[in-house]
Amino acid sequence: MAGPKNGGHDGPSDGLGRGTPGPSDGLGRGTPAPSKSLGHTAPAPPDALFPRPRSVVAPGAVHVPGWLPPERQRELVEACREWARGPVPLRNTVLPGGGVMSVRTVCLGWHWQPYRYTRTADDVNGARVAAFPEWLAAWGRSAVAEAYGDPAAAEAYAPDTALVNFYDGAARMGMHQDREERSDAPVVSLSLGDTCVFRFGNTCDRGRPYTDVELASGDLFVFGGPSRYAFHGVTRVFGGTAGPASGMRAGRLNLTLRETGL
């Protein structure tokens, strides 16, 4: 992603593959908040051979292709670039056993570190993480309404944290469960940039049965109810598939919205 010029020089890197303008407070000031107007299941691109219908992958797990229209994708990408600059920067998480995740992450609202949530990023720089914006919570409620067609469930959904994960072409995410939350509310996943293979499994172990789903830029995936604690991961990222409409030249961004219950 080629960055804008700032006084003839690229600004500090945001870690998302482009230069950016000067320092930010990490709270999105300096960029307009993305619109709350979302909307729809978009049609397949004009050059697509086949449409991508929505699907129920498992009970409580719903895939809605093309839910975010291109203008909302670009707004969300710009917001992610702001968050990636701090106050807690994008980083590769170090696991308790010493392994380092290939995915780079920045958090909103609460800081996730294996395997707990804190308000400050004690494993990075000790700073308090950027606030979780209300407009993003509104997007989460719209997502639950779209996936489940249940206005009451959507209205009750109150996400208070988001993990923003950046995948370059080599990054992967091993099969895991999201279990650090004290709430059984659904997880809302938004994809931006390059297409990936998302493996959605069972609630017992990392093995079969599982379903591989291609998640493209703008896709929504919601999992809750019987599938809330299903194992899931990313096995592959297809480089060069983002398309200019997403606002990304390379790599994949994934936002997962969650209720911590804390």
Side-chain angles (χ1 to χ4, degrees):
M1 290 170 279
K5 298 296 181 181
N6 181 19
H9 300 281
D10 287 338
S13 172
D14 56 10
L16 299 181
R18 54 161 275 182
T20 57
S24 163
D25 59 10
L27 301 178
R29 284 191 280 268
T31 48
S35 166
K36 295 179 183 177
S37 174
L38 297 174
H40 61 278
T41 301
D47 58 349
L49 293 177
F50 304 102
R52 296 192 304 136
R54 64 181 288 148
S55 62
V56 177
V57 176
V62 181
H63 176 212
V64 184
W67 184 66
L68 282 177
E71 61 271 21
R72 298 291 83 83
Q73 295 178 43
R74 291 190 294 271
E75 290 174 353
L76 193 50
V77 167
E78 286 305 314
C80 288
R81 286 173 176 147
E82 289 286 339
W83 296 323
R85 290 200 290 270
V88 180
L90 197 74
R91 94 292 186 192
N92 296 91
T93 301
V94 179
L95 299 172
V100 179
M101 294 177 64
S102 60
V103 171
R104 285 180 280 172
T105 304
V106 66
C107 304
L108 308 177
W110 289 87
H111 179 75
W112 179 85
Q113 55 183 300
Y115 292 98
R116 60 194 177 96
Y117 284 106
T118 56
R119 287 294 193 187
T120 55
D122 303 323
D123 61 335
V124 184
N125 61 0
R128 188 179 178 92
V129 298
F132 182 84
E134 174 53 36
W135 60 260
L136 191 56
W139 284 30
R141 289 188 287 273
S142 295
V144 171
E146 173 68 36
Y148 295 152
D150 184 342
E155 184 63 27
Y157 188 56
D160 60 343
T161 190
L163 273 64
V164 182
N165 290 323
F166 176 68
Y167 295 74
D168 61 21
R172 305 289 184 268
M173 181 72 75
M175 296 290 280
H176 66 282
Q177 294 172 300
D178 294 339
R179 298 195 64 91
E180 286 74 50
E181 300 78 26
R182 297 180 185 175
S183 168
D184 292 332
V187 174
V188 169
S189 172
L190 302 172
S191 292
L192 300 163
D194 285 339
T195 298
C196 79
V197 176
F198 178 63
R199 179 162 292 175
F200 194 77
N202 63 82
T203 59
C204 298
D205 56 44
R206 294 175 175 81
R208 295 181 184 274
Y210 53 71
T211 301
D212 285 346
V213 181
E214 286 195 3
L215 297 182
S217 195
D219 284 9
L220 166 68
F221 196 96
V222 179
F223 57 100
S227 292
R228 172 59 180 81
Y229 297 105
F231 284 88
H232 55 282
V234 172
T235 64
R236 183 177 179 184
V237 175
F238 298 99
T241 56
S246 70
M248 295 183 66
R249 181 178 297 173
R252 172 181 186 256
L253 280 167
N254 174 237
L255 285 81
T256 55
L257 281 57
R258 307 149 185 229
E259 280 188 22
T260 63
L262 298 172

